[in-house]
């Protein structure tokens, strides 16, 4: 039987049963792999060249640079993706993993840098920062302006380097493109 949509029997064969579902799952996973690589590139570009709140004077003194989010490249290198299967669904995770431990407590640095935070400065924290500054400056003293540490707090402004790229039109268009291509490949097989 033929129609304006092509051979109906061929359509049923290609879309019926477990074989089609398996092809579609495999092609979707491949598309999400490509989308993950694309997303990592978007996020890394966002970290390198995003228009974010400027660094505080203390941060500039510690880093020796005024570029927000960029120091030794560890944040950029930590951006990654993973395609996995959970409860029968194929899932793409994109993000970064940078943590630090202070006084036995684990802190998610990516969340702090991305969402912003207000941190109460303890005497031990201040001493550690001032020691680092002195070592960077040789024997010199710490700068008089300690950045945004008014009232014993350091304020870290939000810098949405992951959400911005993932919510962008470029990512959305690429997602649509990859999923449409995955469906097309599964139907043609």
């Amino acid at each position: 039987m033929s129609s304006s949509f092509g051979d109906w029997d061929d359509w049923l064969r290609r879309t019926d049963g477990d074989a089609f579902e398996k092809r579609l799952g495999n092609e979707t996973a491949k598309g999400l792999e490509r989308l993950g690589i694309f997303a990592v590139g978007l996020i890394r570009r966002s970290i390198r060249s995003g228009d974010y709140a400027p660094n505080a004077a203390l941060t500039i003194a510690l880093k020796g640079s005024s570029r927000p989010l960029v120091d030794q490249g560890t944040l950029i290198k930590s951006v990654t993706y993973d395609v996995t299967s959970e409860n029968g669904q194929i899932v793409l995770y994109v993000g970064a993993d940078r943590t630090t431990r202070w006084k036995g407590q684990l802190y998610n640095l990516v969340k702090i840098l991305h969402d912003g935070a207000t941190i109460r400065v303890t005497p031990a924290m201040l001493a550690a920062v001032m020691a680092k500054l002195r070592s960077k400056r040789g024997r010199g003293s710490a700068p008089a302006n300690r950045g945004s540490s008014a009232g014993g707090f350091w304020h870290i402004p939000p810098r949405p380097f992951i959400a911005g790229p993932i919510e962008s039109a470029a990512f959305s268009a690429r997602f649509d493109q990859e999923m449409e291509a995955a469906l097309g490949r599964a139907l043609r097989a």
Side-chain angles (χ1 to χ4, degrees), residues 4 67 73 79 106 131 178 186:
S4 62
R67 289 181 63 196
V79 178
L106 194 62
E178 291 294 347

Side-chain angles (χ1 to χ4, degrees), residues 1-157:
M1 170 190 274
S2 256
S3 72
S4 62
F5 298 109
D7 184 358
W8 184 249
D9 290 332
D10 184 48
W11 171 259
L12 287 176
R13 179 192 58 75
R14 287 185 287 146
T15 60
D16 190 31
D18 293 338
F20 173 71
E21 191 173 321
K22 184 175 181 181
R23 283 194 313 273
L24 182 59
N26 288 340
E27 294 300 335
T28 299
K30 291 175 189 175
L32 289 176
E33 288 283 341
R34 284 188 289 279
L35 188 64
I37 293 167
F38 179 75
V40 166
L42 283 178
I43 293 167
R44 287 179 176 170
R45 277 190 296 283
S46 174
I47 292 169
R48 285 187 192 104
S49 60
D51 185 22
Y52 300 115
N55 285 335
L58 177 61
T59 304
I60 294 169
L62 286 167
K63 286 174 41 173
S65 166
S66 62
R67 289 181 63 196
L69 301 176
V70 179
D71 188 10
Q72 298 173 357
T74 54
L75 179 61
I76 289 171
K77 291 174 192 167
S78 74
V79 178
T80 189
Y81 76 95
D82 185 34
V83 176
T84 187
S85 179
E86 292 180 6
N87 301 321
Q89 304 242 342
I90 302 167
V91 181
L92 169 64
Y93 290 102
V94 180
D97 184 21
R98 292 282 301 133
T99 57
T100 191
R101 192 171 293 282
W102 176 262
K103 301 278 186 180
Q105 188 167 349
L106 194 62
Y107 293 92
N108 182 338
L109 295 178
V110 171
K111 183 166 180 47
I112 292 169
L113 293 172
H114 188 274
D115 297 344
T118 298
I119 301 170
R120 179 180 293 279
V121 180
T122 66
M125 289 169 65
L126 190 57
V129 168
M130 293 301 120
K132 186 170 183 177
L133 274 174
R134 280 190 291 280
S135 73
K136 280 192 164 281
R137 294 174 166 227
R139 295 172 138 181
S141 62
N145 178 353
R146 291 200 170 96
S148 53
S149 60
F153 292 92
W154 285 331
H155 302 286
I156 301 169

